[in-house]
Amino acid sequence: ETAVFQTPNYHVTQVGNEVSFNCKQTLGHDTMYWYKQDSKKLLKIMFSYNNKQLIVNETVPRRFSPQSSDKAHLNLRIKSVEPEDSAVYLCASSIDWGDYAEQFFGPGTRLTVL
Amino acid sequence: GQQVQQSPASLVLQEGENAELQCNFSTSLNSMQWFYQRPGGSLVSLFYNPSGTKHSGRLTSTTVIKERRSSLHISSSQTTDSGTYLCVFPYQGGRALIFGTGTTVSVSP
């Protein structure tokens, strides 16, 4: 049963454009994450929000910005996409923050930058 | 770098057979998670297993922290068990997740 929802599933755009990805979780969790998946083996965390507060902001380029209206939503905006931004972006949630907590993932958004 | 090895890489089963999937980590860990994924599908959490043995229906996960390994046992396999099984562990204090290479399971009727 899907409880972490992402839109869109796919997005193809050109260099320099702005894109926004949406994520919503219905699990009542306090913490949400955005990961970038460049390969099958490694997901790198980009941002994490705990109950609407940004608690992790890894050294991602400034063109990436998270947006959260409440603890159930965490969107990702990319101001001016670059070719290296092509990847799958995965949203996840966990019950709280701390030592690694069980992650629940959305289906992912595949971004292709031409 | 950190590595997660899974074995076997693929497994073909007849419905009703049991299977054991292995996951070995190259570094010490505090917790790990097993996921299931159908082709093109989402990652579905099966077990969050810091240590010990956990059961869920026909699935059993056993993690031995000191030995840096975890196993997933499927009993009485069904065709709906077909898919890819991935083990995951966090590193850098949870700032990154490393996925194993995956075991692709195919169960035929």
Side-chain angles (χ1 to χ4, degrees):
Chain A
E1 182 184 349
T2 304
V4 181
F5 304 89
Q6 287 185 240
T7 57
N9 293 328
Y10 304 93
H11 190 79
V12 180
T13 190
Q14 295 190 329
V15 170
N17 285 348
E18 177 175 317
V19 299
S20 280
F21 304 149
N22 300 314
C23 181
K24 170 188 170 182
Q25 55 95 3
T26 59
L27 296 165
H29 287 167
D30 280 348
T31 307
M32 295 183 70
Y33 312 80
W34 275 105
Y35 291 93
K36 182 180 180 181
Q37 183 179 24
D38 284 326
S39 68
K40 279 179 68 175
K41 296 181 183 178
L42 183 63
L43 267 62
K44 292 200 74 177
I45 193 168
M46 300 178 72
F47 301 102
S48 178
Y49 259 72
N50 183 49
N51 204 9
K52 289 173 59 178
Q53 299 299 314
L54 180 66
I55 56 173
V56 171
N57 186 350
E58 297 303 298
T59 53
V60 298
R62 286 191 171 188
R63 58 182 181 276
F64 290 86
S65 60
Q67 298 167 323
S68 180
S69 56
D70 55 58
K71 71 176 187 178
H73 296 83
L74 182 63
N75 300 332
L76 180 66
R77 186 178 79 158
I78 313 174
K79 222 185 236 185
S80 177
V81 295
E82 299 287 338
E84 61 264 31
D85 298 337
S86 293
V88 175
Y89 292 86
L90 286 165
C91 176
S93 74
S94 65
I95 194 163
D96 59 19
W97 175 254
D99 286 342
Y100 179 72
E102 185 176 9
Q103 308 270 301
F104 294 82
F105 282 91
T109 295
R110 181 176 294 278
L111 173 65
T112 301
V113 181
L114 303 174
Chain B
Q2 311 301 334
Q3 289 188 352
V4 182
Q5 298 290 337
Q6 286 189 245
S7 60
S10 62
L11 199 53
V12 179
L13 301 169
Q14 282 290 121
E15 202 166 29
E17 288 183 327
N18 299 333
E20 184 99 350
L21 283 57
Q22 300 289 342
C23 184
N24 293 282
F25 305 91
S26 64
T27 189
S28 60
L29 55 101
N30 292 321
S31 60
M32 59 81 61
Q33 195 167 350
W34 280 100
F35 286 96
Y36 165 78
Q37 187 175 36
R38 283 189 180 276
S42 301
L43 291 163
V44 176
S45 178
L46 296 175
F47 291 101
Y48 168 66
N49 194 353
S51 65
T53 298
K54 292 193 174 183
H55 303 277
S56 177
R58 294 178 294 102
L59 302 179
T60 300
S61 167
T62 300
T63 299
V64 185
I65 289 285
K66 287 189 298 187
E67 296 178 14
R68 302 178 184 176
R69 62 178 175 85
S70 183
S71 64
L72 180 68
H73 184 84
I74 306 173
S75 62
S76 302
S77 61
Q78 299 179 0
T79 55
T80 51
D81 295 332
S82 296
T84 300
Y85 292 80
L86 296 156
C87 59
V88 177
F89 87 99
Y91 85 112
Q92 292 183 346
R95 282 168 167 71
L97 301 181
I98 296 185
F99 279 70
T101 47
T103 296
T104 301
V105 173
S106 178
V107 184
S108 54

